[in-house]
Amino acid sequence: MIRSRLAVLALSLLILVTVAGISPCFAADRDVSADLDNLDLEDLLQVEMVSPSERKQSLENIAGSYTILTEEDIKRSGATSVPEALRTVPGVIVTRTDTDKWALGVRGFSGTFNSKQLILVDNRPITSPYFNGVIWSSQDLPIQLVKRIEIIRGPWTSLWGSESFNGVINIITKSAAEMQGNRSVTTAGTDGVSQYLRKGGHLSENGTLAVYAKGGYEPGKKYRIRGRTEKGSTDWTTGSGGFRADWLNAYTDQFSIQGQIAGSSITEHSPPGNPFSADKDKEDYSGYAQILWDRKTGARSGMQFRTSYTRTFLTVTDMENISNSADAEFIYSNEQLEDHFLTFGLGSKYFWNSFKQGEHVQVTNDSIYSLEFSGFAKDRITLIDEKLFLNLGLKLDYSGGSELAPQPTARLLYMEEDEEYWLAASYANRKPSYWVQEGSYRVRVNDKEYTVDFSGDLKNEKLATIEAGYRKLFSETLKFDVSLYLNNYDQMVTFSFDDTTNTATPVSGLCGISYGTEVALDWQPYSFLTLRPSIDISNQDFQNIPPGIPGFSPPLNTPLYSIKMQALIDLAENWELDLFSSYVNSMDDKDLSTGFGFDARLAWQVRNNLSLELIGSNLLTTLDESNFSPTEPSCTLRLTWDF
């Protein structure tokens, strides 16, 4: 095991050695996205946002609820991973259930294997096509690569397909041109150590290249679950290495190629409530490559082609899984008759999985193959110049052996000087995961053991939703955003328990509604102080909810309150103090992380190319009695050096 862990770290550093001949350009990262906070509304409307349109478009076209985390936001949150950065976002619940495991939920349903949101990295899906969730232990994306994170709440299935049931999270990484020069980021503290290295240079007059490597070690920690202290997995060692190359031709063509390999090892002993944890050492690895070509064909028209290949190796208790996925998409946009902006797209995905069956966990087939197709069309209609816009969209998803899944939406946006009103109606239709239909394993529910009996007769899950929102820019220092939603779910997958045979069978028998509101404020009362309070209130009303199975988060059927407050303080020149507090109350005893959290970050810019950060997490553990809360606070020192 020690040898394998050393090999993982060595692999991370190897890529830097092999490209040492690149001519460096000694410049710090260009913080493009951080300027968002300083723009007025007129300038903000020209900022490009990638996710909601599947093409670059300005924010004036977004009739939906969204949050953008800039590079500056991520840094000042003190996050050392992508899930940690998402904790500050309204409507998003993030629970770290073990050393290498997270559960994310957008407007509910935060189980590992019943995720209802699509997560992308540079438009490449990282949501597992087999498990319908993100296995974060196989993802080792350095937070230092991230340029911004776009979080879109609500169904955007008319553009992104059936996986974006409750929302989309798109992680945008920096281009090679934004990663010029050399950078080292070192972290050390009670949660472990990590080292990130990056080198960037020019390939030609119009071509740039950046390579990076990262290695880390976390000893693990203890968690409080239902009042008991439980030990988590230990000795998590991670390593990754990757590259990105970009070419720009006369501002009309942009070509990018990027890739990464990553590996990890851990001594697994997950706390109760985690699915498929074994008391043994295990290893995972993953890798991907992606090619993107973007061509502008006119002032208001263009096309884009993207293709990627991803391979992962996972261990689920004692079952081994090798997953391969290849996807491609083509998108074309063009303005017609001035009042219509049309966008069309075609896509396909082919994935093949192989399994080495275990004694405790099995699936129906030793291998599985699936070919999926999709197509979408969207028309943004200008009803009143610069004031009223109507977006109509439809996407069709098809995979072999299932019914055609239409995903329509209609979105209306009205703009008046410094404020926006929007209204949306959407319908989503998605196929249950292969894992739910084929997996066979044993679970413990209410102190009784059941065997999950796979079912091949599951119907597509359906969602009809109505959303509305209002945004107001009161002044350069005060911004307000509120959204409301009503979701009607039908044919959702749940489990039927038979106490005579001790079996649990997946069935399409859950229906109900969820509704709520998200309110966020961005206020700068003084030049040195920025406050970002938010509140998320939601309620779920479902009938005949069975007990939860680990990995499948059931509806709560109770109000859920989530209150967050972020304070960004410029103490003095080159000194920053950032505070983040949160309170989540589900008003029941379900396995959701509820309680009080408090984090802090103190930063000192020593020189232009050197900074020090002291990051404290879970600082008031004595006040936090929630499930999956660490029993001890943590402290991390982060050193960033451009050389």
Side-chain angles (χ1 to χ4, degrees), residues 543-559:
Q543 301 298 320
N544 303 319
I545 299 177
I549 282 183
F552 297 88
S553 172
L556 297 177
N557 262 17
T558 183

Side-chain angles (χ1 to χ4, degrees), residues 85-160:
L86 294 170
R87 294 175 306 165
T88 63
V89 179
V92 177
I93 298 295
V94 179
T95 307
R96 187 171 187 174
T97 61
D98 195 8
T99 305
D100 64 337
K101 299 178 181 68
W102 283 265
L104 270 64
V106 179
R107 294 180 175 176
F109 296 98
S110 60
T112 305
F113 295 130
N114 69 338
S115 170
K116 297 295 187 289
Q117 58 274 340
L118 174 65
I119 301 181
L120 311 157
V121 176
D122 294 325
N123 295 329
R124 177 183 62 89
I126 63 172
T127 304
S128 168
Y130 189 86
F131 294 102
N132 262 18
V134 175
I135 312 300
W136 290 101
S137 60
S138 67
Q139 305 291 331
D140 189 25
L141 176 67
I143 194 70
Q144 294 82 8
L145 292 181
V146 178
K147 177 180 178 179
R148 68 180 183 273
I149 304 176
E150 302 168 351
I151 303 95
I152 302 116
R153 294 173 289 272
W156 283 87
T157 52
S158 63
L159 294 170
W160 292 110

